[in-house]
Amino acid sequence: MKILVLNAGSSTQKSCLYEILNALPDTPPKPLWEAKIDWMQDAAMLSVTTQQGTSLEEQILGGERQEGIGRMLATLYQGETQVLSDLQEIDAVGHRIVHGGEKYREAVRVTPEVVEAIASLIPLAPEHNPVNLEGIDAISKVLPDVMQVAVFDTAFHATLPPAAAVYPIPYSFYEQGIRRYGFHGINHQYCRDRVAALQNRLPHRLITCHLGNGASLAAIRDGTCIDTTMGFTPLEGLMMGSRSGSIDPGILIHLLRQGYDVERLNRLLNKESGLKGLSGVGNDLRQINRAIASGSDRAQLALEVYLHSLQRHIGAMLVSLGGLDTLVFTGGVGENSPLVRRSACQALEFLGLQLNEAENEARPIDRDIASAESPVRVFVIRAREDWAIAQECWKINDE
Ligand code: AMP
């Protein structure tokens, strides 16, 4: 079965093609073809690589997203990156859909009703759901008869108990849909499954730390998500690359009184805060590390606030779970920063948790990095949202 995955963000469009032969493999396979469009450049840039090692980089002329997606798909069956003789060889297309609201608790086949529901949720995800719908639309035009599957980033958190999901504001707001939804669910769920496969059992009390440019934690008891740090929007919780995470809402009232309008507040909290806002050098931890090495006190402060935010939110998840058996690090920071992992783990030494320092430094991927004696296991899991989406397509096709 050949499965195309579309993962549309506000600034990038990522896509992969997988082939699953008779059964889901035990280890995540490499895609046959991977493509990315970066819309943020002056002229959108398309880059493609294939499993065989062929690559392509080109500017997309025209600038319309639909044209860009069309050109990206053409590289599947034309030119040096060709991996299909025809687009019609594709058996299913999976889409990452950021917001599934309260309705979608698992992946579903795309139908006109599903499209309508995703559109109705645009007010809750104004930057994401519209671009996700563009992807569905683009595929419907070129492959009208192929099964499309919507995989929701909120679905894994649909099991949050009311005490974790409801905000302490007047109840009527909850009735309007203002509640904790949680995000990054596709990867939190993937990490739950991957760590269960690596440990040969589902951990009883698991915290998954998705630390990328955006960042969130999930508290997972016996496989079910019971708490998470992101909320009604992806702004809540941990300090992130350019998002503030949780701050006193009184600060917003104060700034509104000072004349800030909605757009300025939105930009401030989502694009100009976090590591970037505090350090003044950028949202990427590598930039922060370089600035610290050259003596920047602000970069040092940004890192310290980041680590403190991570530790205190892990503490919250730990108490929600009543203890911890397995801790997972994933995402660009979680996978690549021994320092962030060490710092988070040091705060948990009172549980007896001990890292194996050599493993922690050895660029681990899908490995246990706790010492042999540690009662809490610690894993680094490479985020594979695209593969998680492909697996959902396979499962739905199999039903
Ligand atoms: P993601 O959103 O999961 O792709 O993560 C992107 C972020 O991961 C970047 O903004 C960096 O902060 C971080 N990152 C990626 N590679 C490294 C690295 N080698 N060392 C430290 N941080 C990294």
Side-chain angles (χ1 to χ4, degrees):
M1 182 179 183
K2 293 204 170 81
I3 303 173
L4 180 71
V5 175
L6 291 190
N7 182 343
S10 48
S11 56
T12 59
Q13 166 71 61
K14 293 184 197 154
S15 190
C16 302
L17 182 76
Y18 284 100
E19 179 161 34
I20 304 177
L21 294 173
N22 304 314
L24 288 174
D26 292 336
T27 49
K30 275 190 88 166
L32 298 179
W33 166 100
E34 275 180 275
K36 181 177 167 188
I37 306 175
D38 190 340
W39 305 112
M40 294 305 268
Q41 313 266 359
D42 295 337
M45 283 298 294
L46 167 68
S47 44
V48 182
T49 48
T50 68
Q51 202 181 51
Q52 305 304 333
T54 323
S55 60
L56 171 153
E57 289 231 7
E58 69 177 37
Q59 267 190 11
I60 294 183
L61 303 170
E64 285 297 315
R65 285 192 190 231
Q66 293 283 352
E67 285 170 40
I69 296 173
R71 174 63 198 131
M72 179 180 84
L73 295 178
T75 68
L76 278 163
Y77 60 92
Q78 286 175 352
E80 290 189 8
T81 58
Q82 174 179 11
V83 287
L84 301 174
S85 52
D86 190 310
L87 216 49
Q88 308 300 326
E89 278 181 57
I90 294 172
D91 300 294
V93 181
H95 299 268
R96 170 175 173 249
I97 308 291
V98 165
H99 218 307
E102 286 197 88
K103 184 160 179 196
Y104 292 109
R105 298 176 156 245
E106 52 192 25
V108 291
R109 268 176 203 254
V110 174
T111 61
E113 295 74 55
V114 171
V115 167
E116 213 172 288
I118 297 169
S120 73
L121 291 163
I122 288 174
L124 299 188
E127 288 188 20
H128 290 97
N129 276 24
V131 290
N132 299 156
L133 284 172
E134 273 177 12
I136 294 178
D137 192 41
I139 297 298
S140 305
K141 285 189 178 126
V142 290
L143 293 169
D145 300 323
V146 164
M147 174 178 83
Q148 296 196 59
V149 173
V151 187
F152 299 97
D153 226 10
T154 46
F156 183 57
H157 306 297
T159 49
L160 290 183
V166 179
Y167 287 109
I169 53 177
Y171 188 74
S172 55
F173 289 95
Y174 176 63
E175 291 174 317
Q176 291 167 36
I178 297 187
R179 51 159 289 167
R180 180 183 308 285
Y181 290 102
F183 298 89
H184 294 144
I186 299 170
N187 193 42
H188 286 298
Q189 181 171 354
Y190 171 76
C191 287
R192 175 201 66 183
D193 295 342
R194 185 83 184 113
V195 85
L198 292 166
Q199 286 188 296
N200 281 321
R201 67 190 145 80
L202 195 57
H204 173 39
R205 295 161 304 183
L206 166 68
I207 297 176
T208 46
C209 307
H210 177 112
L211 309 176
N213 199 20
S216 67
L217 309 179
I220 304 167
R221 182 183 290 135
D222 299 322
T224 301
C225 183
I226 60 155
D227 208 351
T228 189
T229 55
M230 280 183 171
F232 176 63
T233 72
L235 188 52
E236 194 181 351
L238 298 167
M239 168 174 163
M240 310 178 209
S242 65
R243 291 186 207 137
S244 61
S246 294
I247 60 169
D248 177 357
I251 297 171
L252 312 190
I253 299 169
H254 173 77
L255 293 176
L256 286 169
R257 285 201 179 115
Q258 294 216 326
Y260 269 68
D261 63 15
V262 174
E263 282 318 313
R264 205 160 153 216
L265 267 187
N266 184 29
R267 216 173 38 246
L268 172 77
L269 299 173
N270 278 302
K271 305 256 190 277
E272 295 166 357
S273 294
L275 288 172
K276 181 179 173 192
L278 273 184
S279 70
V281 297
N283 64 319
D284 189 310
L285 188 61
R286 287 166 289 195
Q287 294 169 301
I288 306 291
N289 288 337
R290 281 195 294 272
I292 292 173
S294 50
S296 163
D297 291 343
R298 288 251 307 275
Q300 180 66 38
L301 175 68
L303 179 64
E304 284 171 18
V305 178
Y306 181 90
L307 296 174
H308 178 254
S309 165
L310 176 60
Q311 290 170 352
R312 76 198 292 255
H313 283 93
I314 291 178
M317 297 298 109
L318 176 70
V319 176
S320 287
L321 285 169
L324 183 61
D325 301 297
T326 305
L327 180 66
V328 166
F329 292 100
T330 181
V333 174
E335 292 163 33
N336 293 300
S337 175
L339 179 144
V340 169
R341 294 192 294 259
R342 186 182 313 114
S343 158
C345 289
Q346 272 168 354
L348 296 171
E349 280 177 358
F350 69 95
L351 296 173
L353 187 159
Q354 284 291 334
L355 273 188
N356 177 327
E357 265 311 325
E359 292 281 355
N360 184 39
E361 293 286 345
R363 300 186 158 274
I365 296 175
D366 293 6
R367 287 173 64 104
D368 186 344
I369 58 166
S371 72
E373 309 76 49
S374 175
V376 179
R377 307 318 302 165
V378 182
F379 282 78
V380 179
I381 303 285
R382 174 166 285 173
R384 290 293 302 267
E385 276 176 330
D386 49 355
W387 171 236
I389 294 168
Q391 291 183 84
E392 293 292 343
C393 294
W394 166 268
K395 288 181 203 154
I396 287 189
N397 188 58
D398 224 24
E399 279 169 3

